[in-house]
Amino acid sequence: MATKNTIILAAGKGTRMKSKLYKVLHRLCGKTMVDHVLTAVEKADMDNVVTVVGFGADAVRENLGKRTQYVVQEKQLGTGHAVLQAEKLLGNLDGMTMVVSGDTPLLTTKTFEDLFTYHQNKKAKATILTSQAPDPTGYGRIVRNDLGIVEKIVEQKDATREEQAIDEINTGVYVFDNQALFEALHKLTNDNAQGEYYLTDVIEILKSEGETIAAYKMDDFDESMGVNDRIALARATEIMRTRINRQHMMDGISMIDPEHTYIDADVKIGSDTIIEPGVQLKGHTVIGNDCYIGANSEIRDSILHDHVTVTSSLIEESEMMDHSDIGPNSHLRPEAKIGKHVHLGNFVEIKKSSIGEGTKVGHLTYVGNAKLGKNINVGCGVIFANYDGAHKHETTVGDDSFIGSNSNLIAPLEVADHSFIAAGSTINKTVNQYDMAIARAHQTNKAGYFKKLPYQKD
């Protein structure tokens, strides 16, 4: 049975990145470069995906998990040698095999599908994905004859002056007849400026054997960008961010300033949501319909349901239910769950706590390791003291309670529903239903004391 396969080349160290991090693990828009490539490949319905790893092999495996098979290129002897490492997994299969580099994160599933289709229609043994480069320096050139038929691919270092003037470049992506690919790989030599086994030489071998070589030129050169240094990484990030933002706007999202809106690749956003400038939506965040995300907010790996308003706040690994709001300048730390119609005002911090429907936490308050019921009013400056110096403890506050301003609730603590905490109290004992708890010193007025103060004038 004919198979559809992909080999992802991810064995290079990437010295030009000047980084301790393995090259293909550098991130843009929330995912590593090689993850972007694998995601696009997966959507093209492959029978087999093999990733060739070398430097940093364990880190790549950890990043991609079981989504792909792996082979190791122990010595960096060129792209042809790297592909040959996959022979034990793919060499005996019938069908087509695509080869793509792990540092080309902008390539899309549609381009891969179009390349496979073109290859099949041309009945080719090999099809090269090409593009027209504004500046072809550094790329392999596609050399065609007078009839436009591909003669060979020549690398920059081995190209003549005339060949260097060619602007049709090799993107480094190919589709081959699988068995023809591995047969040709065994015929490669390293007689070139780099002393490496070039995958591009497979094209010349197949051509010399009278096989059909095709070249599919894609329209968008930017999509073919390979990332070899930090400058290219920044440029690729900019292109991908523009692509992501454009798609969201086409799907019914309003962005006040798309150039200054930062949305990761896996973020999902519902229709009629409005996003102000400086917003960062990261990780696997999900935003519902009709939300308003105010300027300079950051939301990471969180779920916001419908009609949620966020004003200049930070939300991490948390959930906000319908019609809740937060900010300005507030912070949801991991495992905060905010109920429907909850109001969290300015300078409020919530950590590993649930806030029940209709509860209001207005300002300057810390809630940690707590369960708050419905329709509670939490006054200004309240602190849920959850840490005894060694362990975290939980506070529970029942429905329809009132927590007066500047109160301290010391965990472990239970405050029943319909209870009242007087302002300025420090509470560390159970408060029963309908009770008012007061824990503060009695007020004493010292008559005439003001006149004794040293800074008073006669």
Side-chain angles (χ1 to χ4, degrees):
M1 185 180 77
T3 59
K4 187 178 178 184
N5 315 295
T6 292
I7 299 170
I8 300 174
L9 303 182
K13 188 175 182 180
T15 55
R16 280 185 281 171
M17 298 297 288
K18 303 287 174 52
S19 175
K20 296 182 292 297
L21 185 64
Y22 184 42
K23 175 178 165 181
V24 298
L25 295 180
H26 282 266
R27 291 179 175 268
L28 63 162
C29 298
K31 298 170 72 168
T32 64
M33 289 195 285
V34 70
D35 192 351
H36 280 292
V37 174
L38 178 56
T39 299
V41 166
E42 288 171 326
K43 293 177 181 177
D45 296 324
M46 297 295 152
D47 294 301
N48 299 285
V49 179
V50 178
T51 300
V52 182
V53 293
F55 294 104
D58 290 342
V60 175
R61 288 191 183 98
E62 183 178 353
N63 178 238
L64 301 181
K66 297 180 180 179
R67 297 159 59 193
T68 171
Q69 301 178 77
Y70 301 92
V71 293
V72 178
Q73 185 186 25
E74 299 287 354
K75 296 181 179 180
Q76 310 302 295
L77 301 178
T79 52
H81 178 261
V83 173
L84 188 59
Q85 307 313 299
E87 185 176 31
K88 61 184 178 181
L89 296 177
L90 303 179
N92 295 324
L93 300 178
D94 291 325
M96 303 175 289
T97 294
M98 179 171 70
V99 180
V100 59
S101 175
D103 64 0
T104 51
L106 298 175
L107 288 164
T108 64
T109 300
K110 184 180 184 304
T111 294
F112 292 152
E113 291 173 338
D114 290 346
L115 178 61
F116 273 107
T117 299
Y118 189 87
H119 175 80
Q120 287 179 298
N121 291 342
K122 292 295 183 180
K123 296 181 173 56
K125 286 294 182 180
T127 301
I128 310 157
L129 181 65
T130 73
S131 188
Q132 189 168 347
D135 178 5
T137 303
Y139 290 93
R141 308 302 204 279
I142 303 299
V143 180
R144 297 178 183 262
N145 63 18
D146 294 339
L147 298 176
I149 298 171
V150 176
E151 290 289 340
K152 62 178 178 178
I153 305 171
V154 61
E155 298 296 324
Q156 170 82 26
K157 294 182 176 65
D158 301 313
T160 65
R161 181 171 298 180
E162 292 77 13
E163 289 168 340
Q164 288 183 13
I166 297 170
D167 64 1
E168 184 180 7
I169 59 95
N170 174 24
T171 66
V173 182
Y174 314 86
V175 173
F176 297 95
D177 173 272
N178 187 67
Q179 294 196 7
L181 167 63
F182 287 103
E183 288 171 8
L185 286 171
H186 285 286
K187 301 174 184 177
L188 291 179
T189 69
N190 62 348
D191 184 19
N192 51 60
Q194 293 293 96
E196 295 183 349
Y197 297 91
Y198 290 148
L199 180 62
T200 50
D201 289 345
V202 168
I203 302 299
E204 202 164 344
I205 291 169
L206 294 175
K207 183 71 176 177
S208 69
E209 295 174 350
E211 302 291 358
T212 300
I213 307 299
Y216 173 68
K217 185 189 290 188
M218 62 180 182
D219 295 328
D220 185 2
F221 169 72
D222 285 341
E223 194 176 321
S224 69
M225 179 185 294
V227 175
N228 293 311
D229 57 31
R230 306 296 182 118
I231 297 169
L233 181 63
R235 174 62 181 150
T237 300
E238 180 184 2
I239 292 168
M240 182 166 287
R241 187 172 71 241
T242 299
R243 180 192 295 175
I244 290 169
N245 289 357
R246 177 181 175 83
Q247 186 60 54
H248 282 302
M249 288 187 286
M250 291 177 67
D251 289 340
I253 310 307
S254 292
M255 295 184 193
I256 307 304
D257 185 359
E259 290 186 8
H260 297 94
T261 300
Y262 308 89
I263 302 176
D264 281 354
D266 290 330
V267 171
K268 295 178 173 56
I269 309 174
S271 65
D272 289 317
T273 286
I274 299 173
I275 301 176
E276 290 189 340
V279 167
Q280 300 180 62
L281 304 180
K282 297 182 176 181
H284 291 84
T285 290
V286 178
I287 309 290
N289 300 316
D290 300 288
C291 294
Y292 198 101
I293 313 300
N296 302 313
S297 294
E298 181 178 339
I299 304 173
R300 297 202 297 259
D301 294 310
S302 297
I303 300 172
L304 276 60
H305 293 259
D306 298 340
H307 300 280
V308 172
T309 298
V310 179
T311 306
S312 302
S313 293
L314 170 60
I315 299 173
E316 306 173 89
E317 300 173 33
S318 296
E319 183 173 8
M320 296 184 70
M321 306 303 288
D322 296 350
H323 297 281
S324 57
D325 69 272
I326 184 172
N329 303 308
S330 290
H331 186 185
L332 295 186
R333 290 168 59 190
E335 298 183 62
K337 186 166 184 177
I338 310 305
K340 294 181 179 180
H341 297 280
V342 168
H343 166 66
L344 306 175
N346 54 295
F347 298 101
V348 171
E349 181 179 344
I350 311 290
K351 174 253 177 187
K352 200 175 183 180
S353 299
S354 61
I355 313 294
E357 181 174 351
T359 289
K360 294 178 174 56
V361 185
H363 28 246
L364 299 165
T365 290
Y366 170 70
V367 182
N369 295 84
K371 293 180 180 177
L372 275 64
K374 299 178 181 179
N375 303 314
I376 298 168
N377 186 85
V378 180
C380 177
V382 171
I383 296 173
F384 285 69
N386 57 332
Y387 185 50
D388 64 8
H391 303 97
K392 299 290 179 71
H393 300 280
E394 187 173 88
T395 296
T396 301
V397 180
D399 299 345
D400 301 296
S401 296
F402 186 98
I403 312 299
S405 295
N406 205 37
S407 295
N408 301 306
L409 277 62
I410 301 178
L413 180 65
E414 290 189 16
V415 178
D417 58 8
H418 297 89
S419 59
F420 193 103
I421 306 295
S425 294
T426 295
I427 305 297
N428 63 358
K429 296 179 181 179
T430 298
V431 180
N432 297 317
Q433 189 176 30
Y434 302 121
D435 284 358
M436 179 176 74
I438 305 174
R440 60 192 185 201
H442 293 292
Q443 181 173 329
T444 301
N445 292 353
K446 301 290 186 179
Y449 189 83
F450 181 86
K451 295 179 181 180
K452 298 179 181 180
L453 298 176
Y455 55 77
Q456 293 302 312
K457 296 180 180 179
D458 294 336

